[in-house]
Amino acid sequence: MTPTSHPDGLPAHRSTGRPAGRVLGEGPSPRGDGRHVLVVEQDPSVTELITTALELVGYRVCTAGTAADGMVRFTEHRFDLVVLDATLPDLIGFTRGRRVAPADRPPLLFLTTCDLLHSLLPELGPGGEDYVTKPVRIAEVLARVQVLLRGRAPEQQGMHCYGDLVLDDATCQAWRGSRQLDLTPAEYRLLSHLLANAERVLSKEQISRHVWGEYRANSAIEKLVSRLRHKVDKEHPALIRTRRGFGYWLGHPGRRDAAPAR
């Protein structure tokens, strides 16, 4: 059965928002297939490089700049794979000493330097862990990710919640309390991205890349945010917030100021 399409983007059953270099609606699915990847990297430029590459081939990416932040995201959500900077100063507690080693732990791809490789190699396990050396080469990162995920079924993400806001990726439906939100695919992708980065500011460029896979004019992003606000924030408190000059974020009033998403 062919999924119905909407004027502002991808087929209704898709929520990743990435065309993987193809014309929307044409060609096979991206090889990332919507799998969820956590990138824990302290260098924003490396994070941006890896995130862009992964999203363009169909992965859904969540980021963290420290091991502590990564641990929070790791415990709140399930990921199909973790890309982890092995040079993080606070790495101990995330993976060293196997403190996070449940039987269903996702595969780990370490980003390391040549001089630290000797200390990392003893920790690598067969099949579930691998590494690339810095400076990273995107083709190598994508190849290693693909190998690590080969034969593994994507995680079923189920429901995502923030307060009384609930998103169900299986059906691409959202609720605010008991009220179901009638969202277009672009609105759903935007809301999902805001929720995945809750209390972090997303720039208009980041939003545009995630929702449409390309840059759109500021006016298009502002109109999309306005439409989404009208649907989400009928109840109080308002959740979709603006940080002037920086972008948009999702969060409750009274929380600490949102930080820029990396």
Side-chain angles (χ1 to χ4, degrees):
M1 179 178 179
T2 302
T4 57
S5 296
H6 293 262
D8 58 357
L10 299 173
H13 73 288
R14 292 281 303 280
S15 62
T16 60
R18 288 290 171 194
R22 301 180 179 89
V23 176
L24 296 181
E26 294 183 1
S29 298
R31 66 174 177 266
D33 199 28
R35 292 171 186 261
H36 289 70
V37 177
L38 173 62
V39 177
V40 187
E41 164 61 51
Q42 60 185 328
D43 186 334
S45 63
V46 176
T47 299
E48 180 72 9
L49 180 66
I50 294 174
T51 298
T52 300
L54 288 172
E55 289 182 338
L56 283 173
V57 294
Y59 295 96
R60 300 186 64 184
V61 182
C62 185
T63 65
T66 65
D69 193 8
M71 176 66 79
V72 171
R73 292 183 180 275
F74 184 84
T75 56
E76 289 180 346
H77 304 283
R78 294 186 65 84
F79 294 95
D80 295 288
L81 180 137
V82 177
V83 178
L84 182 61
D85 180 1
T87 68
L88 284 167
D90 61 340
L91 184 62
I92 187 167
F94 189 97
T95 183
R96 297 295 173 92
R98 300 303 188 196
R99 290 185 178 144
V100 179
D104 61 347
R105 190 188 69 181
L108 282 171
L109 178 63
F110 290 97
L111 309 178
T112 187
T113 55
C114 290
D115 58 328
L116 290 179
L117 195 53
H118 69 281
S119 62
L120 176 63
L121 286 175
E123 297 199 15
L124 299 181
E129 294 167 331
D130 206 340
Y131 72 91
V132 297
T133 55
K134 294 183 175 183
V136 297
R137 295 168 291 279
I138 287 302
E140 183 181 7
V141 170
L142 293 176
R144 302 280 184 172
V145 167
Q146 193 170 19
V147 169
L148 284 170
L149 290 175
R150 186 175 296 159
R152 293 174 178 264
E155 289 286 354
Q156 298 301 314
Q157 291 298 101
M159 300 287 186
H160 304 279
C161 305
Y162 186 93
D164 62 349
L165 178 66
V166 179
L167 274 69
D168 182 359
D169 280 348
T171 61
C172 293
Q173 293 180 328
W175 293 264
R176 181 79 192 268
S178 60
R179 180 174 61 87
Q180 184 171 342
L181 308 178
D182 183 19
L183 303 181
T184 68
E187 290 165 356
Y188 186 90
R189 292 194 295 273
L190 171 57
L191 185 58
S192 177
H193 197 39
L194 288 169
L195 190 149
N197 293 277
E199 299 179 18
R200 288 180 175 272
V201 175
L202 296 175
S203 69
K204 290 181 178 179
E205 182 179 355
Q206 288 172 313
I207 288 172
S208 183
R209 269 196 305 108
H210 185 84
V211 173
W212 293 294
E214 62 184 12
Y215 177 76
R216 295 282 180 96
N218 286 349
S219 59
I221 300 165
E222 291 164 1
K223 288 178 182 177
L224 178 63
V225 172
S226 177
R227 294 202 312 266
L228 184 61
R229 269 193 174 127
H230 180 73
K231 295 179 180 182
V232 172
D233 288 341
K234 289 183 177 180
E235 291 84 4
H236 292 285
L239 295 179
I240 301 174
R241 317 183 72 77
T242 301
R243 186 171 178 187
R244 294 195 180 280
F246 292 91
Y248 303 97
W249 58 287
L250 184 144
H252 288 298
R255 297 286 178 92
R256 62 178 176 80
D257 288 342
R262 298 190 179 189

